[in-house]
Amino acid sequence: MTTPPNSENLLTLLRSVFGFAGFRASQEAVCRAAVSGRDLLLVMPTGAGKSLCYQLPALARGGTALVISPLIALMEDQSAKLASLGLRVARIHSGMDRSSSRQACVDYLNGDLQFLFIAPERLRVPGFAEMLAKRPPALIAIDEAHCISQWGHDFRPDYRTLGEWLPLLRGASPNQERRTDAAPVLALTATATPTVQADIVAQLGMVSPAKFIHGFRRDNLAVEVVEVSVPRRAGIVCNLLKDPSLRPAIVYTQSRKQAESLAEELSRVTRAAAYHAGLDAETRERVQRAFQAGELEAVVATVAFGMGIDKSDIRTVIHAGLPSTLEGYYQEIGRAGRDAQASRTILMHSYADRKTHDFLMERDYPPADHLARVYSQLGEEPRAVEELRATSRLSEADFDKAFEKLQIHGGVRIDIAGNATAGGPGWKKTYDAQAQFRREQLEKVHRYVEGNECRMAALVRHFGDEEDAGHTCGRCDVCDPASALLRVFRRASVEERRQAQEVIEALRPVTYKTIRQLMGDLTWAERMGRDSFEVLLMAMQRAGLIASEEAVFEADGRVIPYRKLSLTETGFDTRITTPLPLLLDDGLVEEYAEPKRAAKQKARAKDAAQPKQKAAPIELTAEAETLATRLKEWRAAEAKQLRVPAFFVMPDRTLRAVAAARPANPRQLMEIDGIGPAKAEKFGEAILELCAKPG
Ligand code: ADP
Ligand code: MG
Ligand code: ZN
């Protein structure tokens, strides 16, 4: 063993070997735990610098580190980087010729290597693990450890059996007590919810691992979630991306077809192209490169896009439909603002997206009885897959899907000749569990978009960082509604404030009430209907007056969810006599609702029986020009404060129309084209004040 770790010699190593000036957040603590020989689970987002967390401890501990990695490309990349630092590295995977693999083994056994990378399936090669065990590694790192978990897409059966080999590789037989100097196991991943984390720890037989789950918070992202019906989305995306400050941008769609058509539409606004797995490799490569080089300003893509993308100045990531997992969504929005500059992410969803989710669920998880049907055809006698397919009475696609799932879950074994025999009957249990997990994932996405909690806090909590989840971000549509691009909030009216006070009084004497009970108490609530009443309750919740807690009760064997509403301390002390800044969700800001606006224009054009034409610029008198200048100054200040581009506050055309009309009261203001109730509510007072000034 080398000298015990202290921060000083770790830092020296960091600088002299890796050439980094200092540790990134959490790296040092992780490294120290690893050097001391503790097993550990590290969950940090992509790009956070996880590799260093096994590489530096490996060097500090001396000996050879064994690194297990699921992808040849990852292995090649990592080992090339280490070799370029002058370290002694070898790798063994199926993409290499025999003699280099043999040489790697010889070097390993001679103790000449600092790092040996292997693919997990290597361990299936008879004698390979035993060979490694002749000279136990000083540290075992398992990269992309989520592949171990049967929960999730990247599940790799070969990762699943890793746990069986670890005792041997750590230098202990399976039944032996773990030696104190045995190699620590480090599991690293960017994507593991608490369920997956527990699965990794159990599967690898990790011994009271230290857990580091950090870095999911992104301070420079303003996350927005807004309900928009499907037909309006394309127009809104185009309108948004007209603004150069929102580009470069990635727009995610749910299907290849949508990606193509939206890319075409968007091309009229900016340099845009589609990207999806249905395009040939050359086109994909070209699009990616052009985007990277700044020749394209927007890529409209399916989730196939983004893996290898290394572009730090992406300003906006838009989801033009509901993503299917929060992990995927987080990865996708995480591509915005790598340069730490303020960036935006917008997710548009509506009830219709659930249909898409149902479709995905059906596509990815065929009925278990399809699997059962294929399974029943299998026996000990090997049978050709084509023959099974022909006699299965399932369509070709259904058979292939069922067969693939059976294989993943061990219900079918394929021999070297490609023939199938029956596997274990346990497939049904894991298959059902995985399908259930998938359903829950979709449910979590639904809860996220409907939630009323700080978006960033909700995401951080999703990844299991409970501690950090206590902090709100101050930037998302929930924390800072005034800065939201699409969601619009308005101040409550006198009447609504009175109603809010009545809700407070109804809650004051009790610990909690359900929405139903409240509606029973308040006759006007019954009249306004549950949806509108919930809007008011949400506004009260945002203002910190009431709290809501999810609860369930059981009746007739069914579990029924409900919400408990209670007063917060602030709410308890509040008498809404003074105008309370209660913000109500009022839907979409008008200037982005292209289809609606186009329809209005069309109707107007028809009324006037005129051909559609571009509106002429608004002529201003000298006096009006002065006012326009003042309005522009105000707009710039407002935009800066709200952290939005100027035209979000008010487009030029509207601004000039205001200057020309010089409204004297709210009614006149509202008559101006481009000033809707939301704008008037938000800015009316300030605008009227400017207009009232002489000059
Ligand atoms: P992850 O595996 O978490 O996705 P990597 O380990 O590949 O991330 O690291 C991402 C990048 O960050 C790499 O280019 C790496 O060299 C760099 N990096 C890691 N740690 C530091 C550090 N302390 N200082 C500067 N750069 C770092
Ligand atoms: Mg990595
Ligand atoms: Zn927030």
Side-chain angles (χ1 to χ4, degrees):
M1 274 289 292
T2 47
T3 45
N6 61 49
S7 23
E8 219 164 283
N9 51 34
L10 282 182
L11 192 61
T12 309
L13 266 179
L14 178 78
R15 289 178 177 157
S16 62
V17 179
F18 294 92
F20 295 144
F23 285 106
R24 285 191 184 155
S26 334
Q27 277 180 333
E28 188 177 354
V30 178
C31 288
R32 250 189 283 166
V35 180
S36 75
R38 264 194 95 171
D39 283 359
L40 64 89
L41 172 65
L42 178 58
V43 188
M44 295 204 301
T46 306
K50 291 186 289 297
S51 317
L52 185 91
C53 295
Y54 74 79
Q55 291 166 351
L56 187 63
L59 297 177
R61 279 178 71 84
T64 311
L66 181 67
V67 187
I68 299 165
S69 180
L71 288 174
I72 293 178
L74 281 178
M75 248 182 269
E76 290 290 311
D77 181 55
Q78 295 285 351
S79 53
K81 269 190 189 154
L82 290 172
S84 76
L85 298 174
L87 298 166
R88 299 187 305 276
V89 192
R91 63 229 192 269
I92 302 180
H93 58 68
S94 58
M96 294 173 49
D97 61 59
R98 235 165 225 270
S99 67
S100 0
S101 299
R102 202 168 311 127
Q103 188 59 47
C105 293
V106 172
D107 292 345
Y108 174 82
L109 289 174
N110 285 338
D112 288 340
L113 295 178
Q114 288 166 298
F115 294 93
L116 176 65
F117 287 81
I118 64 165
E121 52 271 23
R122 271 293 121 170
L123 293 168
R124 265 193 290 144
V125 174
F128 184 75
E130 288 78 2
M131 183 279 292
L132 293 176
K134 281 190 199 149
R135 196 186 175 98
L139 177 155
I140 301 173
I142 297 165
D143 206 2
E144 311 293 335
H146 61 278
C147 295
I148 283 171
S149 176
Q150 60 180 321
W151 316 124
H153 284 310
D154 294 330
F155 172 52
R156 294 267 301 246
D158 279 314
Y159 255 63
R160 197 91 188 144
T161 50
L162 268 181
E164 295 167 22
W165 299 108
L166 286 181
L168 178 69
L169 295 176
R170 290 178 146 197
S173 72
N175 302 324
Q176 222 175 303
E177 283 284 299
R178 192 179 159 227
R179 298 207 320 257
T180 45
D181 63 343
V185 168
L186 278 49
L188 305 90
T189 174
T191 161
T193 58
T195 316
V196 174
Q197 290 163 18
D199 204 20
I200 293 171
V201 169
Q203 290 302 322
L204 292 178
M206 295 172 92
V207 185
S208 54
K211 292 188 196 172
F212 294 90
I213 299 149
H214 288 305
F216 286 95
R217 175 174 299 275
R218 290 285 308 279
D219 287 323
N220 61 325
L221 295 192
V223 180
E224 183 171 348
V225 177
V226 59
E227 200 174 326
V228 183
S229 68
V230 178
R232 297 174 73 192
R233 292 179 194 167
I236 290 174
V237 169
C238 291
N239 267 355
L240 279 171
L241 295 185
K242 267 180 200 154
D243 176 6
S245 76
L246 292 179
R247 308 192 300 248
I250 305 178
V251 183
Y252 284 104
T253 61
Q254 286 167 314
S255 72
R256 297 172 183 185
K257 232 173 79 191
Q258 286 165 7
E260 302 251 338
S261 71
L262 183 50
E264 200 186 312
E265 232 176 290
L266 193 56
S267 303
R268 283 175 226 144
V269 173
T270 183
R271 285 163 300 169
Y275 184 107
H276 57 72
L279 298 169
D280 59 80
E282 204 183 302
T283 311
R284 291 204 308 260
E285 173 103 29
R286 203 178 55 232
V287 170
Q288 176 152 344
R289 233 178 313 144
F291 186 56
Q292 197 111 13
E295 290 152 24
L296 283 173
E297 296 236 40
V299 172
V300 186
T302 60
V303 293
F305 184 70
M307 264 302 216
I309 195 90
D310 180 20
K311 188 171 172 64
S312 64
D313 63 344
I314 296 169
R315 292 278 72 86
T316 314
V317 171
I318 301 177
H319 284 82
L322 200 57
S324 65
T325 66
L326 281 183
E327 294 90 272
Y329 166 71
Y330 177 84
Q331 291 247 325
E332 285 144 20
I333 64 172
R335 295 189 177 120
R338 288 256 179 241
D339 56 6
Q341 301 295 311
S343 304
R344 290 203 162 263
T345 77
I346 298 170
L347 187 169
M348 296 186 236
H349 70 97
S350 73
Y351 193 74
D353 289 297
R354 299 210 174 195
K355 288 218 181 63
T356 315
H357 279 184
D358 292 343
F359 166 80
L360 289 175
M361 191 64 211
E362 254 169 57
R363 188 195 65 187
D364 297 341
Y365 291 89
D369 79 85
H370 283 193
L371 277 69
R373 227 188 291 176
V374 177
Y375 186 68
S376 70
Q377 288 181 284
L378 300 166
E380 283 179 19
E381 198 63 30
R383 290 183 66 187
V385 177
E386 294 75 42
E387 185 199 318
L388 288 167
R389 188 186 287 124
T391 57
S392 69
R393 286 176 307 155
L394 290 170
S395 76
E396 199 168 305
D398 284 351
F399 174 88
D400 288 349
K401 220 180 320 168
F403 191 82
E404 183 200 331
K405 288 289 178 190
L406 261 189
Q407 209 180 339
I408 290 173
H409 293 276
V412 55
R413 288 203 190 88
I414 310 280
D415 61 21
I416 300 169
N419 295 320
T421 53
W427 63 266
K428 185 153 180 2
K429 212 170 135 217
T430 60
Y431 180 71
D432 286 345
Q434 199 178 78
Q436 180 57 27
F437 181 74
R438 188 74 194 91
R439 266 189 289 275
E440 282 166 17
Q441 275 187 315
L442 294 174
E443 192 48 43
K444 280 185 185 149
V445 175
H446 299 157
R447 276 209 295 272
Y448 169 76
V449 299
E450 274 153 25
N452 201 29
E453 180 190 10
C454 166
R455 305 290 178 192
M456 194 50 79
L459 289 171
V460 166
R461 169 167 304 118
H462 175 73
F463 285 100
D465 193 346
E466 282 293 339
E467 195 187 308
D468 191 26
H471 308 283
T472 53
C473 79
R475 284 176 176 266
C476 69
D477 59 325
V478 176
C479 290
D480 185 13
S483 298
L485 287 193
L486 295 180
R487 269 186 97 174
V488 160
F489 294 84
R490 63 174 173 83
R491 282 182 195 285
S493 65
V494 176
E495 173 68 2
E496 285 158 341
R497 289 200 292 266
R498 197 187 49 71
Q499 290 168 337
Q501 187 67 54
E502 283 192 30
V503 171
I504 289 176
E505 296 317 324
L507 290 174
R508 203 184 290 281
V510 296
T511 41
Y512 73 87
K513 275 189 182 174
T514 65
I515 298 185
R516 182 133 295 291
Q517 288 169 333
L518 274 177
M519 289 180 79
D521 291 349
L522 308 164
T523 46
W524 51 265
E526 191 71 56
R527 267 200 313 280
M528 75 168 24
R530 173 141 182 160
D531 286 353
S532 310
F533 187 49
E534 290 223 22
V535 170
L536 180 73
L537 294 176
M538 267 196 202
M540 294 180 70
Q541 207 178 318
R542 257 196 306 274
L545 299 172
I546 59 172
S548 129
E549 189 194 336
E550 304 285 342
V552 290
F553 71 94
E554 275 185 62
D556 308 331
R558 281 194 313 144
V559 177
I560 298 166
Y562 69 101
R563 265 186 292 159
K564 290 177 176 177
L565 297 171
S566 56
L567 275 190
T568 62
E569 220 168 296
T570 318
F572 202 85
D573 294 337
T574 303
R575 304 234 179 253
I576 311 181
T577 45
T578 50
L580 186 80
L582 205 54
L583 294 166
L584 279 89
D585 200 339
D586 202 24
L588 272 176
V589 67
E590 311 95 86
E591 53 261 48
Y592 291 114
E594 180 81 20
K596 215 164 103 189
R597 199 189 192 193
K600 219 157 73 184
Q601 266 169 10
K602 232 189 256 163
R604 229 180 271 149
K606 217 169 114 197
D607 279 350
Q610 272 172 355
K612 225 163 118 184
Q613 59 180 43
K614 220 172 160 219
I618 299 168
E619 298 288 338
L620 294 182
T621 62
E623 208 182 344
E625 283 288 2
T626 318
L627 175 56
T629 311
R630 263 207 315 264
L631 283 165
K632 270 187 195 152
E633 281 162 11
W634 159 79
R635 179 176 69 174
E638 194 76 35
K640 192 163 167 226
Q641 203 202 343
L642 298 176
R643 293 193 299 270
V644 298
F647 88 87
F648 290 150
V649 175
M650 186 174 293
D652 267 342
R653 191 170 171 78
T654 311
L655 187 143
R656 292 179 73 79
V658 171
R662 201 182 269 267
N665 56 46
R667 195 183 45 75
Q668 285 174 8
L669 179 69
M670 297 269 284
E671 276 166 12
I672 295 167
D673 216 10
I675 304 278
K679 276 263 134 84
E681 183 73 38
K682 243 180 172 171
F683 305 124
E685 218 172 307
I687 296 171
L688 289 174
E689 200 176 306
L690 286 169
C691 291
K693 274 198 191 155

